[in-house]
Amino acid sequence: CPKDIEFLRRPELRLTQNILYSRRCIKPIYKADFDRNTITNITGPLVTNTTALDLTSCSHDEPIPCEPLSLEVPMPYPKDAQYPHLLFGVASKYERMREAIPAFAHWLAGTGARLVGTIADAVPPEHQDDSTKNSFNLTLLEEEYRAAGILATFFPPKIFKRLNLKDGKPDPRPVPVEHHHFLLIKELLSVIDSSQSSQSQQATPHWLAILDDDTFFPSLSPLSHTLSQHDHTRPAWLGALSDDFLAVKAWGFMAFGGAGSFLSLPLARQLAPHLESCITTASIQTGDGILRDCIYSHTRTRLTLVEGLNQHDIKGDASGFFESGAWPVLSLHHWKSWYQAPVEKMARVARDVCGGCFLMRVRFGTGSTSEKKKRKEDESLLSLGYSITQYPGLENGLDDIDLSRVEGTWDEAGRKEKFGFSYGPVRRRLEKGREKKSWRLVDVDVDEGDSSPISESPSQSTTTTTKAQSGGQKEARGGTAQKKGKKRFRQIYVHKAAGPAVGESMDEVIELVWEI
């Protein structure tokens, strides 16, 4: 089969044998002054040709249309940038850290930033009992990370009995991962001190980050830029609250670690002599809470909130967030537990194509007042890297939606006391299938050549409006698509057929082919 068809035939995509397939070939126009808080408007439809494909056969001989589209996007992030001033720490279990390699590799591989981990279940033989009899090879784990391009150092736990008391007596329960999470500060400092004593050429880190094993950064470039706006030479603590205000009320005002908690090196040095005692005196026994109490008990430093770090204490369908045009998006969390999202595939567009374009919104089918009336069936909304949506059940299509508001898709999104302060006011959740039809990103790929011809029809013009859609339009200043050879970045968006009962027997696939 042709390469383009063979890519769609892979079993892991789980497509129906026959599909309806459309694609557009996108030529990015890079703009240094791109306003990420806007919605890009395109007069014509996204889908201009649809082809029925039988994926069990290779007999489709005709070239598949791929009409070009020039699209304004932000500039790419710097290639091969190095971030040795960032040191990341995580406490988890052995198998979870192995499973996490692809996600860590997306944002850590080849960056010069280092990862330090405490493997909570890698208990040395002299401290093992029946519950910790497994022995894990941390050197092998480091080699697996190194093979993925990640500079990683892993340690066994430093404590094997709880430091705090229970009813005035030693607590016999196993040491929770949360305690190892807090004690990462000691491991991070030991790595820094070891590098300095060995006269290593590695730069001294400015920021020590304490993460969960499912904390995900779409790119280190905007994170590093944001951190650089804070003084790392003085004690500083940066982070984000939970987006669930009831969680903030329950656990207190602190940096929730899933979003990423960042300590300047001077602050970490201040805390170092008090780490063990902070565990015994903390008001709550979560790692984030112990850290907060320790900082408040032994320093004058207070939390600085950083926009774009996301704890994401949302469950169920998180599409409302990802389709909201959120910006900045420095971190994501709970993406493989509380909700499901293929984040490393989603964020590849930021790494490989256009930097801050991740989750930018493009509205198609806006029509032209001078040429033709807008048609609802031509309308769609692209949330780049996540989904393409249409709104067949709304009388006026996208005109019936306030795109400045987040759609309340996740569980309990309508409870103002929980999510009003972070996402409100939310708009109502639309009924899937009837009011809203979605194509979700399922895979990405990069190849070195275009295997089928591209039509020479004129690309469509773009205009932008404000994110709140309040005010008039402004003309998009031109530029030319950058030519970077024949490499193509492919995004596959899929609408799964609901079944013959509702008139859908074939999956629908929209592919965006970026010429990079």
Side-chain angles (χ1 to χ4, degrees):
C1 283
K3 181 168 56 176
D4 286 356
I5 303 299
E6 195 62 40
F7 183 70
L8 299 172
R9 286 162 50 95
R10 293 172 301 129
E12 56 266 33
L13 293 183
R14 298 181 180 180
L15 298 176
T16 53
Q17 291 184 356
N18 294 282
I19 64 170
L20 294 176
Y21 175 71
S22 307
R23 68 176 179 177
R24 292 297 297 270
C25 286
I26 300 179
K27 299 179 180 180
I29 301 175
Y30 294 103
K31 291 188 63 179
D33 59 347
F34 187 88
D35 185 354
R36 180 55 179 77
N37 290 312
T38 62
I39 298 173
T40 297
N41 284 337
I42 296 181
T43 57
L46 172 61
V47 174
T48 56
N49 294 279
T50 300
T51 302
L53 292 180
D54 180 358
L55 297 182
T56 67
S57 170
C58 293
S59 61
H60 190 86
D61 297 326
E62 297 181 2
I64 299 173
C66 194
E67 185 176 346
L69 171 68
S70 295
L71 184 63
E72 292 180 352
V73 294
M75 298 296 292
Y77 291 139
K79 295 292 185 184
D80 303 318
Q82 297 295 290
Y83 306 95
H85 56 288
L86 303 180
L87 181 61
F88 297 92
V90 62
S92 186
K93 295 185 176 181
Y94 190 89
E95 285 303 321
R96 285 183 64 91
M97 289 303 294
R98 292 192 69 201
E99 295 168 359
I101 291 176
F104 277 117
H106 169 88
W107 56 270
L108 266 179
T111 64
R114 288 177 287 169
L115 177 68
V116 175
T118 295
I119 307 303
D121 52 355
V123 180
E126 63 270 22
H127 293 283
Q128 289 182 7
D129 55 27
D130 289 341
S131 66
T132 57
K133 60 184 178 181
N134 292 320
S135 179
F136 299 113
N137 188 335
L138 299 189
T139 300
L140 177 60
L141 184 61
E142 290 176 352
E143 291 174 353
E144 290 182 292
Y145 270 74
R146 191 173 302 114
I150 303 170
L151 301 173
T153 304
F154 296 110
F155 296 97
K158 288 294 190 292
I159 58 173
F160 309 101
K161 294 182 179 180
R162 286 191 179 226
L163 299 176
N164 53 313
L165 302 178
K166 182 177 177 63
D167 299 326
K169 300 177 182 179
D171 191 336
R173 293 174 298 171
V175 178
V177 173
E178 287 85 351
H179 289 188
H180 301 307
H181 177 90
F182 170 69
L183 290 173
L184 278 167
I185 296 171
K186 178 179 290 187
E187 303 293 18
L188 294 168
L189 289 173
S190 73
V191 168
I192 294 172
D193 293 340
S194 176
S195 297
Q196 291 176 341
S197 63
S198 64
Q199 296 183 336
S200 169
Q201 296 301 311
Q202 291 180 323
T204 300
H206 298 168
W207 297 101
L208 285 60
I210 300 177
L211 320 173
D212 287 357
D213 61 14
D214 59 346
T215 302
F216 180 83
F217 299 102
S219 171
L220 290 187
S221 180
L223 176 67
S224 177
H225 175 73
T226 298
L227 295 177
S228 71
Q229 298 172 17
H230 301 270
D231 187 356
H232 69 274
T233 66
R234 303 180 63 183
W237 177 31
L238 313 180
L241 302 175
S242 170
D243 32 10
D244 179 351
F245 191 67
L246 294 187
V248 178
K249 291 177 67 175
W251 300 108
F253 191 88
M254 64 184 186
F256 282 69
S261 182
F262 296 83
L263 312 180
S264 66
L265 184 55
L267 177 60
R269 296 283 189 204
Q270 286 183 333
L271 298 178
H274 310 289
L275 297 178
E276 285 79 4
S277 64
C278 282
I279 292 178
T280 66
T281 59
S283 60
I284 57 175
Q285 289 300 304
T286 66
D288 303 333
I290 299 171
L291 176 60
R292 178 208 47 217
D293 287 359
C294 197
I295 291 174
Y296 288 175
S297 297
H298 299 285
T299 80
R300 293 294 300 165
T301 302
R302 296 298 180 260
L303 176 63
T304 299
L305 297 178
V306 175
E307 183 183 11
L309 297 175
N310 291 289
Q311 171 67 11
H312 268 178
D313 283 340
I314 55 179
K315 294 182 179 180
D317 180 2
S319 62
F321 170 83
F322 289 111
E323 294 169 353
S324 69
W327 183 256
V329 182
L330 301 180
S331 67
L332 303 171
H333 183 227
H334 283 149
W335 51 273
K336 57 180 179 179
S337 53
W338 290 29
Y339 65 89
Q340 301 294 316
V343 291
E344 64 267 28
K345 294 177 181 178
M346 291 163 51
R348 280 281 299 275
V349 70
R351 190 184 74 186
D352 293 349
V353 181
C354 46
C357 66
F358 176 51
L359 300 181
M360 67 174 272
R361 294 187 291 182
V362 184
R363 181 175 176 175
F364 290 87
T366 59
S368 171
T369 55
S370 61
E371 296 178 7
K372 64 177 181 179
K373 184 178 180 180
K374 178 173 60 178
R375 300 195 313 162
K376 185 174 70 173
E377 55 268 33
D378 288 342
E379 285 191 317
S380 59
L381 186 69
L382 168 65
S383 299
L384 187 54
Y386 184 74
S387 71
I388 298 165
T389 52
Q390 291 183 340
Y391 302 88
L394 302 183
E395 182 178 358
N396 299 302
L398 277 166
D399 286 343
D400 286 342
I401 299 175
D402 183 353
L403 292 176
S404 69
R405 294 191 176 193
V406 179
E407 183 183 355
T409 58
W410 61 93
D411 299 349
E412 300 186 301
R415 291 185 61 185
K416 296 179 181 179
E417 71 274 22
K418 287 175 69 70
F419 299 108
F421 95 109
S422 54
Y423 298 117
V426 300
R427 54 185 168 89
R428 71 175 182 89
R429 179 175 184 165
L430 297 175
E431 183 181 341
K432 292 181 180 179
R434 189 180 70 83
E435 293 181 305
K436 179 180 180 180
K437 180 179 181 180
S438 300
W439 290 254
R440 294 282 180 86
L441 183 86
V442 298
D443 209 354
V444 297
D445 185 47
V446 176
D447 64 43
E448 297 297 331
D450 190 352
S451 59
S452 60
I454 299 175
S455 69
E456 295 299 325
S457 56
S459 57
Q460 299 179 37
S461 62
T462 66
T463 60
T464 57
T465 62
T466 65
K467 186 174 180 180
Q469 292 187 297
S470 59
Q473 294 182 347
K474 63 177 181 179
E475 288 297 321
R477 291 207 304 269
T480 57
Q482 293 186 356
K483 299 293 184 180
K484 294 180 181 285
K486 296 182 178 181
K487 185 178 291 187
R488 302 186 311 165
F489 176 78
R490 306 173 62 186
Q491 295 177 306
I492 306 296
Y493 297 82
V494 175
H495 171 73
K496 296 297 294 181
V502 293
E504 293 184 348
S505 58
M506 292 188 289
D507 290 343
E508 300 177 31
V509 177
I510 299 176
E511 178 175 354
L512 302 185
V513 183
W514 295 79
E515 301 174 10
I516 56 175

